Amino acid sequence: MELPVIDLSQYLELSTKLFSPSDESNSSVEQELNPQTRNLCNEVSRILRDTGALLIKDPRCSAEDNDRFLDMMEKYFDKPDDFKRHQERSHLHYQVGVTPEGVEVPRSLVDKDLQQKLSTMPQKNQPSIPVGPDPKWRYMWRVGPRPSKTCFQELNSEPVIPEGFPEWKQTMDSWGYKMINAIEVVAEMAAIGFGLPKDAFTSLMKQGPHLLAPTGSDLQRYGKEGTVFAGYHYDLNFLTIHGRSRFPGLNIWLRSGQKMEVKVPVGCLLIQTGKQLEWLTGGECQAGMHEVVVTNRTLEAVEAARQQNRSLWRVSSTLFAHIASDATIEPLGHFADSPLAEKYPPMRAGEFVELELAGINLKGKTNNSDS
């Protein structure tokens, strides 16, 4: 099975005709959608519900944009460890700057309930079990405006820029905003597909602590088949989006429990459901489980990179889109009537993030995701 690709062009073209920047009314929007576009929105919501993942093609996000970003991050991660540690901000829970390898701890390593669940899965669907913290680096870069007043200041901290990278801010901001724009379109389409107002999700995302969070995994050092770069886990944010990595290795689990290797076509983006979306839909969408492991296909890509004298750092161009820290998350609209709704009590999104981190007694050492 392969994930279908949703082309956003049709919705973007129609939304440009229907919506003006000053129009805050959503009541007529859903009514004016043609059947084909409405069916596309229904398909987006169905795929997110059934698989927890979605491949999209956004004409505003080119393969060249992704390559430019990957080139810069490969150059950064290839710097000596001492250089990179100058951008470390452990006192801010690693929510900005660099997170060194050996810091992020996968849930599957410490969550006893999760370990019990994994042991009951069919062998072919079981994830790889890590033996310790993830051997990868990560860089957190905030994207978008932050609130002037917030109860969760550490989740809205100022960005960190490494020396010797004059293109850093422009490259990070450009790619980050492009991916946020793509997520907002998907969020609108999903809301329509779920029978909610078009801005049901995007209105809650305004001034959220969105983070561009690329990972760097050294395949020169850790390029052995079976090495776990990111242990089995879900993302605690709203939606996660990735550009195509130059090295395969991402596995996801469908709602049915089936394990599936993800293949992202050139020029496409991968979106995954996070725990905040699960909260807002009263469990209709489940946070998607996933892992990153060195596979035979990874090693084939490593050999090809060696032949071409390219970098052996596996970089993921990952962005975490969040609900605003001070906004309340709870089942929306008809999802409030779901029999599972009571499992998702109202709380501020920032409080939810802190509870997720504290729940495994590793606040400050476990980030949103590990893809």
Side-chain angles (χ1 to χ4, degrees), residues 201-212:
F201 299 133
T202 54
S203 62
L204 296 174
M205 291 173 60
K206 290 178 180 177
Q207 297 192 332
H210 312 309
L211 289 166
L212 181 56

PDB file of all heavy atoms in Angstrom, residues 201-212:
ATOM      1  N   PHE A 201      -9.719  24.905  12.755  1.00  0.00           N
ATOM      2  CA  PHE A 201      -8.373  24.593  13.221  1.00  0.00           C
ATOM      3  C   PHE A 201      -7.426  25.788  13.072  1.00  0.00           C
ATOM      4  O   PHE A 201      -6.653  26.100  13.988  1.00  0.00           O
ATOM      5  CB  PHE A 201      -7.801  23.400  12.446  1.00  0.00           C
ATOM      6  CG  PHE A 201      -8.580  22.121  12.597  1.00  0.00           C
ATOM      7  CD1 PHE A 201      -8.901  21.366  11.482  1.00  0.00           C
ATOM      8  CD2 PHE A 201      -8.995  21.665  13.847  1.00  0.00           C
ATOM      9  CE1 PHE A 201      -9.608  20.172  11.603  1.00  0.00           C
ATOM     10  CE2 PHE A 201      -9.704  20.484  13.984  1.00  0.00           C
ATOM     11  CZ  PHE A 201     -10.017  19.734  12.857  1.00  0.00           C
ATOM     12  N   THR A 202      -7.462  26.457  11.913  1.00  0.00           N
ATOM     13  CA  THR A 202      -6.494  27.523  11.647  1.00  0.00           C
ATOM     14  C   THR A 202      -6.653  28.696  12.610  1.00  0.00           C
ATOM     15  O   THR A 202      -5.665  29.370  12.935  1.00  0.00           O
ATOM     16  CB  THR A 202      -6.614  28.024  10.197  1.00  0.00           C
ATOM     17  OG1 THR A 202      -7.964  28.408   9.933  1.00  0.00           O
ATOM     18  CG2 THR A 202      -6.202  26.933   9.218  1.00  0.00           C
ATOM     19  N   SER A 203      -7.874  28.973  13.078  1.00  0.00           N
ATOM     20  CA  SER A 203      -8.064  30.067  14.035  1.00  0.00           C
ATOM     21  C   SER A 203      -7.354  29.779  15.351  1.00  0.00           C
ATOM     22  O   SER A 203      -6.913  30.704  16.048  1.00  0.00           O
ATOM     23  CB  SER A 203      -9.562  30.306  14.284  1.00  0.00           C
ATOM     24  OG  SER A 203     -10.175  29.159  14.860  1.00  0.00           O
ATOM     25  N   LEU A 204      -7.220  28.502  15.692  1.00  0.00           N
ATOM     26  CA  LEU A 204      -6.528  28.114  16.927  1.00  0.00           C
ATOM     27  C   LEU A 204      -5.007  28.086  16.744  1.00  0.00           C
ATOM     28  O   LEU A 204      -4.264  28.080  17.727  1.00  0.00           O
ATOM     29  CB  LEU A 204      -7.009  26.736  17.390  1.00  0.00           C
ATOM     30  CG  LEU A 204      -8.488  26.625  17.790  1.00  0.00           C
ATOM     31  CD1 LEU A 204      -8.849  25.169  18.072  1.00  0.00           C
ATOM     32  CD2 LEU A 204      -8.780  27.493  19.018  1.00  0.00           C
ATOM     33  N   MET A 205      -4.556  28.060  15.498  1.00  0.00           N
ATOM     34  CA  MET A 205      -3.120  27.998  15.215  1.00  0.00           C
ATOM     35  C   MET A 205      -2.443  29.369  15.251  1.00  0.00           C
ATOM     36  O   MET A 205      -1.214  29.443  15.316  1.00  0.00           O
ATOM     37  CB  MET A 205      -2.888  27.385  13.833  1.00  0.00           C
ATOM     38  CG  MET A 205      -3.210  25.907  13.701  1.00  0.00           C
ATOM     39  SD  MET A 205      -3.100  25.363  11.970  1.00  0.00           S
ATOM     40  CE  MET A 205      -1.369  25.742  11.594  1.00  0.00           C
ATOM     41  N   LYS A 206      -3.233  30.443  15.224  1.00  0.00           N
ATOM     42  CA  LYS A 206      -2.650  31.789  15.138  1.00  0.00           C
ATOM     43  C   LYS A 206      -1.733  32.061  16.324  1.00  0.00           C
ATOM     44  O   LYS A 206      -2.104  31.874  17.478  1.00  0.00           O
ATOM     45  CB  LYS A 206      -3.761  32.836  15.072  1.00  0.00           C
ATOM     46  CG  LYS A 206      -4.524  32.807  13.751  1.00  0.00           C
ATOM     47  CD  LYS A 206      -5.659  33.825  13.731  1.00  0.00           C
ATOM     48  CE  LYS A 206      -6.415  33.786  12.403  1.00  0.00           C
ATOM     49  NZ  LYS A 206      -7.575  34.714  12.398  1.00  0.00           N
ATOM     50  N   GLN A 207      -0.499  32.492  16.012  1.00  0.00           N
ATOM     51  CA  GLN A 207       0.540  32.786  17.005  1.00  0.00           C
ATOM     52  C   GLN A 207       0.908  31.546  17.825  1.00  0.00           C
ATOM     53  O   GLN A 207       1.359  31.647  18.958  1.00  0.00           O
ATOM     54  CB  GLN A 207       0.119  33.940  17.934  1.00  0.00           C
ATOM     55  CG  GLN A 207      -0.073  35.256  17.199  1.00  0.00           C
ATOM     56  CD  GLN A 207      -0.205  36.433  18.120  1.00  0.00           C
ATOM     57  OE1 GLN A 207      -0.665  36.312  19.258  1.00  0.00           O
ATOM     58  NE2 GLN A 207       0.195  37.605  17.662  1.00  0.00           N
ATOM     59  N   GLY A 208       0.746  30.381  17.220  1.00  0.00           N
ATOM     60  CA  GLY A 208       1.178  29.144  17.880  1.00  0.00           C
ATOM     61  C   GLY A 208       2.691  29.022  17.866  1.00  0.00           C
ATOM     62  O   GLY A 208       3.365  29.623  17.023  1.00  0.00           O
ATOM     63  N   PRO A 209       3.262  28.232  18.784  1.00  0.00           N
ATOM     64  CA  PRO A 209       4.720  28.062  18.857  1.00  0.00           C
ATOM     65  C   PRO A 209       5.232  27.079  17.799  1.00  0.00           C
ATOM     66  O   PRO A 209       5.852  26.060  18.117  1.00  0.00           O
ATOM     67  CB  PRO A 209       4.934  27.529  20.272  1.00  0.00           C
ATOM     68  CG  PRO A 209       3.687  26.769  20.575  1.00  0.00           C
ATOM     69  CD  PRO A 209       2.575  27.529  19.894  1.00  0.00           C
ATOM     70  N   HIS A 210       4.962  27.403  16.520  1.00  0.00           N
ATOM     71  CA  HIS A 210       5.370  26.524  15.427  1.00  0.00           C
ATOM     72  C   HIS A 210       6.899  26.441  15.374  1.00  0.00           C
ATOM     73  O   HIS A 210       7.595  27.450  15.527  1.00  0.00           O
ATOM     74  CB  HIS A 210       4.840  27.042  14.092  1.00  0.00           C
ATOM     75  CG  HIS A 210       3.389  27.410  14.128  1.00  0.00           C
ATOM     76  ND1 HIS A 210       2.417  26.547  14.606  1.00  0.00           N
ATOM     77  CD2 HIS A 210       2.738  28.544  13.761  1.00  0.00           C
ATOM     78  CE1 HIS A 210       1.231  27.135  14.518  1.00  0.00           C
ATOM     79  NE2 HIS A 210       1.401  28.353  14.024  1.00  0.00           N
ATOM     80  N   LEU A 211       7.396  25.246  15.128  1.00  0.00           N
ATOM     81  CA  LEU A 211       8.843  25.037  15.149  1.00  0.00           C
ATOM     82  C   LEU A 211       9.305  24.277  13.913  1.00  0.00           C
ATOM     83  O   LEU A 211       8.801  23.184  13.627  1.00  0.00           O
ATOM     84  CB  LEU A 211       9.252  24.250  16.404  1.00  0.00           C
ATOM     85  CG  LEU A 211       9.168  24.983  17.741  1.00  0.00           C
ATOM     86  CD1 LEU A 211       9.272  24.000  18.892  1.00  0.00           C
ATOM     87  CD2 LEU A 211      10.272  26.044  17.840  1.00  0.00           C
ATOM     88  N   LEU A 212      10.253  24.872  13.192  1.00  0.00           N
ATOM     89  CA  LEU A 212      10.966  24.151  12.157  1.00  0.00           C
ATOM     90  C   LEU A 212      12.062  23.384  12.885  1.00  0.00           C
ATOM     91  O   LEU A 212      12.882  23.978  13.587  1.00  0.00           O
ATOM     92  CB  LEU A 212      11.559  25.145  11.156  1.00  0.00           C
ATOM     93  CG  LEU A 212      12.330  24.576   9.970  1.00  0.00           C
ATOM     94  CD1 LEU A 212      11.490  23.598   9.164  1.00  0.00           C
ATOM     95  CD2 LEU A 212      12.845  25.707   9.089  1.00  0.00           C
TER      96      LEU A 212
END
